[in-house]
Amino acid sequence: MRDTFIETTTALLAEDPRTALVLADISAAAFVPAARRHPDRVLNVGIREQLMVGVAGGLALTGLRPIVHSYAPFLVERAYEQLKLDLDHQGVGAVLVSVGASYDRASAGRTHLSPADVSLIDTLHGWTVHVPGHPAEVPALLRTAVGGDGSAYLRLSALRNDEPRGGDGALVVVRDAGPGAPLLVAVGPVLDAAVAAVTDLPVTVAYTNRPRPFDVTGLRALAGDAVILVEPYLAGTSARVVSAALADRPHRLLARGVGREELRRYGTADDHTRWHGLDAAGLRRSVVTFLRPAPVG
């Protein structure tokens, strides 16, 4: 996904003189050719993430469309105040593109983990959030975000599904178990594990790579009385949206994602997926327990 982002951004800088790119050393080497061609629109501020966002806000005030890029914890968590003030408060937009996701660089320790990034973005006003599940989904999502005017967050990951899914962010049914079946909504790169987890269960599976704004209309059309939400970031991030959308009908909700417990372990990304129960086996255990009929009497 990162390579695809670099290729697409390089093309956008050449195609649209309104596009700018602000970096804080991360991926700077890959953008050297673009920086030589567009020295006034490709800026590397060094390891100063708060400044990176502040510069983006200033560029946006001049009418440019800045793309801001770094690791998720540096881009969202470290520079959160600048997102709130230099973008939201000033009423200007930018496109944030992160790498690292929740735990791609697990071997680098807690500094490089960011399961709470989408939850933090959720506290800001009117942001669009894209979570591609495959590298081939990245170009269209990035071009859509850059072509808009508001603020958007594109969350790239090393985790990926086997094949891309297109669409405009609306829920796409991947597996139909019929009317009234429990609905599992998978966001971005957790789709394959989710499908494998329910392969022989009567569960409808729907996919989205745009959790914000959430496809409430599609959710209401597909949901029965049981909804399973699987997200590749902090568990429960979209629970409030689902609950609000279905507030007028009885329903049960299982929200799976990265747990809140501090694991205090390094390991690999695959290890963390397993430890958080986001692999197929872990998801299956959760879903089977959730759907098991309550004891009578």
Side-chain angles (χ1 to χ4, degrees):
M1 291 189 191
R2 187 176 186 173
D3 291 341
T4 306
F5 156 68
I6 291 167
E7 294 169 5
T8 306
T9 300
T10 299
L12 283 167
L13 287 163
E15 296 166 11
D16 185 357
R18 190 177 72 119
T19 305
L21 174 66
V22 191
L23 304 169
D25 269 4
I26 301 300
S27 301
F31 283 109
V32 166
R36 287 173 178 159
R37 288 191 291 269
H38 317 287
D40 55 336
R41 291 187 287 120
V42 178
L43 308 174
N44 179 14
V45 302
I47 308 174
R48 300 175 181 87
E49 287 82 6
Q50 293 95 332
L51 175 62
M52 174 178 66
V53 175
V55 167
L59 293 174
L61 284 170
T62 72
L64 293 176
R65 184 64 167 158
I67 300 170
V68 193
H69 169 64
S70 187
Y71 269 86
F74 312 150
L75 180 61
V76 178
E77 295 176 327
R78 185 173 297 172
Y80 173 76
E81 184 177 17
Q82 283 65 44
L83 300 179
K84 180 178 70 175
L85 298 179
D86 296 346
L87 296 179
D88 271 25
H89 185 61
Q90 293 192 123
V92 295
V95 179
L96 275 58
V97 182
S98 73
V99 292
S102 292
Y103 43 69
D104 285 356
R105 284 287 305 277
S107 60
R110 189 64 177 94
T111 57
H112 283 65
L113 310 186
S114 187
D117 54 348
V118 176
S119 291
L120 279 172
I121 292 292
D122 235 4
T123 67
L124 304 173
H125 176 69
W127 282 60
T128 298
V129 177
H130 299 290
V131 183
H134 188 278
E137 296 174 23
V138 173
L141 295 177
L142 179 59
R143 286 180 175 275
T144 296
V146 173
D149 294 315
S151 287
Y153 178 46
L154 179 59
R155 188 184 205 258
L156 307 183
S157 175
L159 182 65
R160 52 176 283 179
N161 300 316
D162 285 342
E163 62 182 75
R165 307 275 174 176
D168 57 0
L171 291 178
V172 176
V173 175
V174 175
R175 182 176 186 269
D176 189 352
L183 171 66
L184 188 155
V185 176
V187 177
V190 296
L191 175 63
D192 283 359
V195 170
V198 301
T199 185
D200 58 346
L201 300 177
V203 175
T204 293
V205 179
Y207 172 75
T208 183
N209 57 19
R210 192 207 64 202
R212 296 294 181 279
F214 199 92
D215 179 15
V216 170
T217 300
L219 175 69
R220 288 183 59 83
L222 294 170
D225 61 2
V227 177
I228 302 152
L229 180 64
V230 184
E231 300 177 278
Y233 33 79
L234 196 64
T237 296
S238 295
R240 65 171 186 84
V241 180
V242 173
S243 295
L246 302 176
D248 62 337
R249 62 173 81 166
H251 68 279
R252 298 187 301 133
L253 173 63
L254 171 66
R256 300 296 299 140
V258 179
R260 293 176 181 271
E261 179 186 358
E262 175 71 64
L263 295 179
R264 302 187 185 280
R265 286 190 272 180
Y266 285 80
T268 66
D270 288 342
D271 289 331
H272 282 254
T273 294
R274 187 177 67 259
W275 293 336
H276 289 289
L278 290 175
D279 59 339
L283 289 174
R284 183 178 180 83
R285 288 192 297 270
S286 297
V287 171
V288 168
T289 300
F290 175 67
L291 297 179
R292 184 177 297 145
V296 178

